[in-house]
Amino acid sequence: MIVGYGFGDEHINAVIEDAVKNAGLKLFIWNRGVKSILDREDLRSFVTTESLIDMSADTVAEVFPPDQEQTEEYKRIFSRFFGYEAPPG
């Protein structure tokens, strides 16, 4: 899970790309600007439908509100990332 990283550092991108291509890394991108990330030509070699588990553009406060309610986005992120439904409560 990549949280808040905008893919602006080539040396970090190279490590992520290598892990995707050579070790089967799957990506869950959580970033307010995720749509612009997906439009970037320089990332298309490794941010693909095969490598991308899912993404979210919600803020941390929206997903984890002060009342600690399990939001729908929390449940969606949990199930997409871990592969099963979030336990209640």
Side-chain angles (χ1 to χ4, degrees):
M1 182 174 284
I2 298 172
V3 179
Y5 176 60
F7 293 87
D9 295 304
E10 288 185 31
H11 65 287
I12 295 172
N13 294 351
V15 172
I16 296 170
E17 181 175 13
D18 180 62
V20 166
K21 290 181 174 179
N22 298 311
L25 178 71
K26 301 291 185 188
L27 305 171
F28 189 112
I29 301 172
W30 189 350
N31 186 300
R32 296 290 291 166
V34 75
K35 300 236 187 289
S36 64
I37 290 169
L38 295 177
D39 290 338
R40 287 185 38 193
E41 185 71 34
D42 61 324
L43 304 178
R44 290 195 180 144
S45 66
F46 67 96
V47 179
T48 66
T49 55
E50 292 82 30
S51 68
L52 191 62
I53 295 171
D54 210 338
M55 54 194 167
S56 179
D58 287 5
T59 66
V60 172
E62 290 169 331
V63 177
F64 300 107
D67 66 5
Q68 298 184 359
E69 173 191 348
Q70 282 192 356
T71 63
E72 290 305 311
E73 185 64 355
Y74 165 80
K75 292 174 188 175
R76 188 188 74 77
I77 290 170
F78 187 99
S79 68
R80 294 292 294 145
F81 188 75
F82 292 109
Y84 60 92
E85 286 188 31

